[in-house]
Amino acid sequence: MSDAITGSDVLFVLMGAIMVFAMHAGFAFLEVGTVQRKNQVNALVKILVDFGISTVSYFFIGYAVAYGVDFFVNAAVLSGTAETEGYAFASNGYDLVKFFFLLTFAAAIPAIISGGIAERAKFWPQLFATAILTALIYPFFEGIIWNGNFGLQEVITNIFGVGFHDFAGSIVVHAVGGWIALGAVLLLGARRGRYRKDGRVMGIPPSNIPFLALGSWILCIGWFGFNVMSAQSIGGISGLVAMNSLLAMVGGIIAALLVGKNDPGFVHNGALAGLVAVCAGSDIMHPIGALATGGIAGALFVFAFTLCQNKLKIDDVLGVWPLHGLCGLWGGIAAGIFGLEALGGLGGVSFMAQLVVSLIGCAYALAAGFVVYGLLKASMGIRLTEEEEFIGADLSIHKIGAYPEEDLR
């Protein structure tokens, strides 16, 4: 029975890892559909190569930073059929699929950032940033929250009676990715012609609404692996997480539809806003609380995206700061509201603990974004030249466009 349970857990976590890995196709097509045609190939290549760099960085450095576990032992030990001093790996290779699962979370950080810096960022400096973020910056905070490193969770528990709760990463993944992206976007500057000297804001419409929608659909489907399988075992799985994810998603869709006045970009991103926000408290909220959390997130995204683009004149191409940064922040706080027993939740959370650590996480990520991209800007530059940006990242970087036959005409 023990072998059967362990084997089931391995399969369960592996399926979760595959579902979240598939979400990276969603990130890619969401960006492909949003950017101009001359930058579509770059979006596809960036997301895939970022995943490759993230895997190597997290395997050799990041996972050890977060969890104190490395893989520098023989395959018999890794698979759990032999033991070594210091650490015993679980049987059936459970710890290996757990790494795969958590890697897909780490790799989401550069995938999130990619959408904000699209259409004018250099290729190789972004890969350097990916390596730094997934080897050091993200795992450092991940280990603090999910592994209890450096005693912050203990301090929060002593002050507020309970620790910080983030079941599936509203803060650890989404807010961290979104606030790092804000620093990168501000250092990079706006796209050519986006904002005129006379104060006018020039619209750059999405290149392909069907691709944008496809990206959103892929992300929505994969998100049920992201949230539900964060239990990391068959015994820990909860239908409540699935129900709450579903209702938060539809809450985001409906709110974005109403507030965004039927705009398809807002509708498809509204679904993602709801899912971002419910990650933290998906295991403890009542479904009605999840619906409210998602609805508020959908409206928040529309308002924040409009403010960011038109008033603050921050050229965040896919709106990753409003979507992941602000909706992620809201999700961390919402877990401390709708997770309370008084509002139908399971309890075990504190509003103040959620608020304080959520703000700490966002401040850390914003500072990290400025440091990492600031150093890269000073040392190697992070922006394409005006000519390269005018031609497009596809031809400037990859020497081929998304529609090669048309380039020959």
Side-chain angles (χ1 to χ4, degrees):
M1 285 298 295
S2 177
D3 289 342
I5 292 171
T6 304
S8 297
D9 287 343
V10 169
L11 180 60
F12 175 75
V13 177
L14 176 60
M15 294 304 297
I18 293 170
M19 289 181 71
V20 184
F21 176 40
M23 289 175 69
H24 288 261
F27 283 120
F29 277 95
L30 190 69
E31 185 172 334
V32 167
T34 304
V35 299
Q36 300 168 84
R37 283 162 60 106
K38 62 184 180 181
N39 297 304
Q40 291 179 333
V41 170
N42 180 244
L44 293 169
V45 175
K46 254 193 315 180
I47 299 295
L48 186 61
V49 177
D50 274 341
F51 191 90
I53 298 296
S54 297
T55 300
V56 173
S57 300
Y58 198 65
F59 178 81
F60 283 104
I61 302 173
Y63 198 69
V65 171
Y67 300 103
V69 177
D70 63 61
F71 302 99
F72 302 113
V73 292
N74 63 49
V77 174
L78 290 177
S79 63
T81 58
E83 294 184 4
T84 187
E85 294 183 7
Y87 188 82
F89 284 81
S91 61
N92 297 84
Y94 173 82
D95 289 310
L96 305 184
V97 294
K98 180 181 177 181
F99 162 81
F100 183 12
F101 183 67
L102 292 172
L103 158 69
T104 60
F105 282 54
I109 299 297
I112 289 168
I113 296 167
S114 176
I117 64 175
E119 303 205 272
R120 75 277 201 203
K122 286 185 174 181
F123 185 69
W124 287 103
Q126 172 56 18
L127 296 186
F128 278 104
T130 294
I132 296 168
L133 294 172
T134 53
L136 299 172
I137 303 300
Y138 168 77
F140 177 77
F141 188 72
E142 175 191 17
I144 288 174
I145 302 302
W146 284 343
N147 199 47
N149 297 353
F150 303 106
L152 177 63
Q153 285 283 36
E154 184 178 350
V155 170
I156 294 297
T157 301
N158 289 338
I159 295 173
F160 300 109
V162 293
F164 175 71
H165 186 89
D166 189 357
F167 180 69
S170 287
I171 298 297
V172 175
V173 179
H174 297 287
V176 166
W179 285 86
I180 291 174
L182 176 61
V185 167
L186 292 174
L187 287 169
L188 196 61
R191 289 168 288 179
R192 291 178 65 257
R194 182 74 171 99
Y195 304 113
R196 297 291 178 86
K197 292 181 180 179
D198 61 5
R200 286 185 298 162
V201 178
M202 305 305 294
I204 302 178
S207 61
N208 192 306
I209 296 297
F211 276 161
L212 185 157
L214 175 64
S216 175
W217 274 103
I218 294 171
L219 285 165
C220 287
I221 293 167
W223 223 294
F224 288 87
F226 197 100
N227 282 3
V228 175
M229 291 171 174
S230 284
Q232 297 185 26
S233 70
I234 287 288
I237 192 171
S238 171
L240 181 64
V241 177
M243 175 65 81
N244 285 342
S245 300
L246 175 66
L247 288 180
M249 180 187 72
V250 299
I253 292 170
I254 294 169
L257 172 72
L258 297 175
V259 179
K261 301 178 180 178
N262 307 330
D263 183 283
F266 285 144
V267 169
H268 287 93
N269 278 285
L272 307 182
L275 287 163
V276 165
V278 81
C279 286
S282 57
D283 63 326
I284 56 173
M285 291 180 180
H286 187 281
I288 296 175
L291 180 66
T293 297
I296 293 169
L300 173 62
F301 172 73
V302 175
F303 283 123
F305 182 86
T306 304
L307 176 68
C308 178
Q309 297 286 341
N310 299 334
K311 300 295 183 181
L312 301 178
K313 296 185 178 179
I314 299 172
D315 192 15
D316 179 351
V317 180
L318 267 67
V320 298
W321 175 56
L323 179 62
H324 298 275
L326 293 180
C327 291
L329 173 60
W330 159 240
I333 296 170
I337 300 173
F338 296 107
L340 297 173
E341 290 185 32
L343 292 178
L346 297 182
V349 288
S350 159
F351 171 77
M352 287 305 300
Q354 295 300 121
L355 176 64
V356 169
V357 180
S358 295
L359 292 174
I360 289 173
C362 293
Y364 166 76
L366 181 61
F370 276 116
V371 170
V372 171
Y373 284 93
L375 289 173
L376 289 171
K377 182 177 182 178
S379 60
M380 58 181 13
I382 57 175
R383 181 161 185 152
L384 296 173
T385 66
E386 284 193 17
E387 181 181 1
E388 289 170 333
E389 186 179 344
F390 177 78
I391 295 170
D394 292 358
L395 295 180
S396 297
I397 298 172
H398 308 290
K399 312 306 178 187
I400 190 170
Y403 309 92
E405 289 183 342
E406 292 184 11
D407 295 338
L408 296 174
R409 294 173 186 170

